[in-house]
Amino acid sequence: MPKNKSHSGAGKRFRVTGSGKILREKAGKRHNLEKKPSKVTRRMTGTVEVAKADVPRAKKMLGL
């Protein structure tokens, strides 16, 4: 069987923790920030865990 290549875009978007959880950045903090309330922009900062349903696909893309 040939090896599967890891998805190069997924490698830039996801990070794997020491315990094996997959983290991602929150979306929506790139542009049009003047229109968005400060409360919303603060909520969009930081990293969160990938949803449980998306973990198998993310792992496959990362080659885990």
Side-chain angles (χ1 to χ4, degrees):
M1 281 294 290
K3 292 181 180 180
N4 286 332
K5 288 192 175 181
S6 58
H7 195 283
S8 60
K12 297 168 194 173
R13 290 183 178 100
F14 301 121
R15 203 175 72 224
V16 183
T17 63
S19 61
K21 294 175 184 172
I22 301 174
L23 301 179
R24 64 165 179 86
E25 291 283 327
K26 287 189 181 176
K29 197 153 187 237
R30 295 288 180 230
H31 63 104
N32 296 345
L33 296 174
E34 284 183 342
K35 296 178 180 183
K36 294 169 187 165
S38 304
K39 196 183 236 182
V40 172
T41 55
R42 279 197 305 273
R43 203 185 306 140
M44 289 186 290
T45 59
T47 56
V48 288
E49 221 176 300
V50 171
K52 193 177 177 183
D54 297 326
V55 168
R57 195 171 6 176
K59 281 188 173 180
K60 187 179 178 184
M61 288 196 293
L62 290 170
L64 299 175

